[in-house]
Each structure stands twice: as structure tokens, then as C-alpha cells.
Amino acid sequence: MQIQISDIRRAADSIKPHVCMTPVARSATLSDKAGVPVHLKLEHHQRTGSFKIRGATNAILGLSEEQKKRGVVGVSTGNHGRGLAAAAQKAGVRCIVCMSELVPQNKIDGIKGEGAEVRTVGRSQDDAQIEVDRLVKEEGMTMLPPFDHADIIAGQGTLGLELLAQIPDLATAVIQVSGGGLISGVAAAIKAERPNVRVVGVSMERGAAMYECQRAGHPMIVEELPTLADSLGGGIGLNNAYTFEMVRMLVDELILVSEIEIAHAIRHAYWHEQQIIEGSGSVGIAALLADKIQLHGPTAVLLSGGNIDMTLHHRIVSGEDVDITQEN
Ligand SMILES: *Cc1c(COP(=O)(O)O)cnc(C)c1O
């Protein structure tokens, strides 16, 4: 089962009134360093601070009237919850977001600020999922998952259409990978239009679920670990329906970056690009700074989100190599 370019075009039409087309900015320092033009896609300036509102909006607009009346529920490390909350509020749909107690307070506040109810349960996404299942069963709400859902993937894929339109000579797209909804949609759009454009996925070394599953050749359980790239945490699901296969077919390369490289990238974005981005948003820059990707032409690096705790951000840009693994 795969998402087609026609699904992504339809998503682009339906979400257009609700999301912004975020700008692209050429990075002088990264272009100099890489020897090719490097363009940053500033998606952290999207409404709700990440691209997640694209998929969430597309999925909510695709619900039946009966489903809209009963409301939606999600389980989220933060950005999906916030995107879902904002999309639901705009559509006048009730929304409950369940999450683990490990999620940073700034993300919980962000979700409440978008008008959703938040329930914190347990120490993992799996614990939160139990509450979601109850709401679906007992209250008839619709669960919208963060990545493994056709309408969500098509919505995230609208970013791929924008990259093609904004960077006509694009050669390589560098995209974050967690559950793989984002890169599956983006790669589906890009490969349908220009199959020669390389799509490179980047995850953090600590708990890189999609990377490990692709190496193993099948979905499996990968332990979730604390990381600066907290929006990239979590597994891909043992019953993965879309993203494992789409990543296998459409993504050219998957690479990993370390915690120190992520901290350097957040710092680089601040001091050299004047951008405040969260760890997950920075892994593409991290990969370029660490020379981990071979680049052959104009390159797009997605800055996927900006929802970082500002105290943590301040420590990192002040020069501290924050080791999040010692703080939890
Ligand atoms: C969710 C998220 C990702 C990863 O998206 P997937 O579809 O799960 O791969 C990357 N960056 C940010 C900021 C996110 O919130």
C-alpha cells in the first residue's frame, strides 16, 4: 500500500487555506562548506511550530460528519499532538491528546494552548496508547496516528511538492526520519515528479527505530532512549502498514547523527542562520556539518520543527554540549 502523487496533490488543495507555504532560505555558510547550494526549508515557522499540522489537517478534513461529531484522539510526543489539536480546533472538532509523562512541559503547554485536552499517562507511548484505545472503544472517538496513516502521509507529502516548486534544480533532499510519515510523503512527491532527486533520511543514533528496522528487513521493537531529538523518538509499530515499505522503496539512504552533532547543529542554526530549531529539526544540518552526506548539487535541508524548551536552547547555544542522557 502506497500513497500516490495524486493523493498528495489533493491534500495540498484541501489544506491550503489552513497551513502556510513556509519560505526557503539559502545558507551561505553551509553552501560554502558543502561546495553546493544549500537551501534551508524553514518549516519550523509553520503554524504550531512544525509540519505536523499538514497531515493532521488533511486527516481531519477527510473524516465523515459522524466521526467529526465524536471527536479525535491522538498519542504524541508533542508536535503531532499540537498539530492535531490546532487542526481539530479549526474544524470545530473535539480533540484529546494522550502522552507519556516524559514529554517536556513546553510541548504540553503548546497543545493545551491549541484548545485540546491533554492526558498524561505512564512512561512510554505504549502506556498512553492504552488510554487512546479506551476512548476509541468507549466514546467512539477516532484515533489519528502520528505517521502510519494514508491521509497523514499525503499531508506531510505536500512539503515535497513545495520543495520541488521552490528549488527547481533540486538534487538532494535531506529529511528527518522517525516513524517515517514525513519522509514517505516527501519522497513519494519527489520521486513521482523527479526520480533522480536523491532523498536522504536522517535520525539520531539513540533509538533510531526506522534505521534499525530497515537494516533488519522488517518492523521490530527498538528501545526508545532520551535524546536531544525528542520528536524523533518512538517506534514504527510492529504492524506498520505504510511507512516501512515506502521508506524501503523510495528513500536512497538513511544516516545517523550523534547527540554532540545535534547540539552543534542547534548552535549553528542559531549563530549562523538566525534560526531557533529543536533537536529533531536540526539533524539535517547536523549531517551536513559532520560531512555525512555526499552532495552533488543543490540541496534542500528541512528544518522540521522549532518547539524546543528555551532554557535548554539557551544552554546549548551558549556553548554547553548538553548531554540529555545524563539528565533524565
Ligand atoms: C514528527 C517529527 C519528525 C518525524 O516525522 P515522522 O513522520 O515521524 O518521521 C521530524 N521532525 C519533527 C520536528 C517532528 O515533529
Side-chain angles (χ1 to χ4, degrees), residues 207-240:
M210 181 63 81
Y211 179 93
E212 298 296 343
C213 293
Q214 293 291 337
R215 266 179 45 149
H218 53 82
M220 59 177 202
I221 291 175
V222 175
E223 191 192 355
E224 190 173 343
L225 300 168
T227 168
L228 283 174
D230 55 299
S231 297
L232 302 185
I236 72 163
L238 284 179
N239 298 313
N240 188 289

Side-chain angles (χ1 to χ4, degrees), residues 49-52 77-80 107 146-148 152-153 156 175-184 202 210 230-233 235 243 278-283 302-307:
S50 87
F51 67 89
K52 290 283 198 325
T77 57
N79 285 336
H80 170 61
K107 296 206 165 179
F147 55 87
D148 202 29
I152 301 274
I153 296 169
Q156 323 302 33
I175 308 293
Q176 292 74 2
V177 183
S178 174
L182 170 64
I183 200 169
S184 293
V202 188
M210 181 63 81
D230 55 299
S231 297
L232 302 185
T243 62
E278 61 178 282
S280 306
S282 83
V283 297
L302 178 63
L303 308 188
S304 56
N307 294 322

Side-chain angles (χ1 to χ4, degrees), residues 204 227-229 257-272 275 277-287 289-290 308 312-324:
M204 67 294 174
T227 168
L228 283 174
V257 292
S258 70
E259 295 298 306
I260 295 269
E261 287 163 350
I262 294 169
H264 285 175
I266 293 173
R267 200 174 296 142
H268 173 93
Y270 183 75
W271 291 107
H272 298 280
Q275 302 297 337
I277 52 176
E278 61 178 282
S280 306
S282 83
V283 297
I285 290 180
L289 289 176
I308 185 168
L312 174 64
H313 188 269
H314 182 255
R315 286 169 56 199
I316 294 172
V317 300
S318 303
E320 204 180 319
D321 280 329
V322 173
D323 185 354
I324 204 103

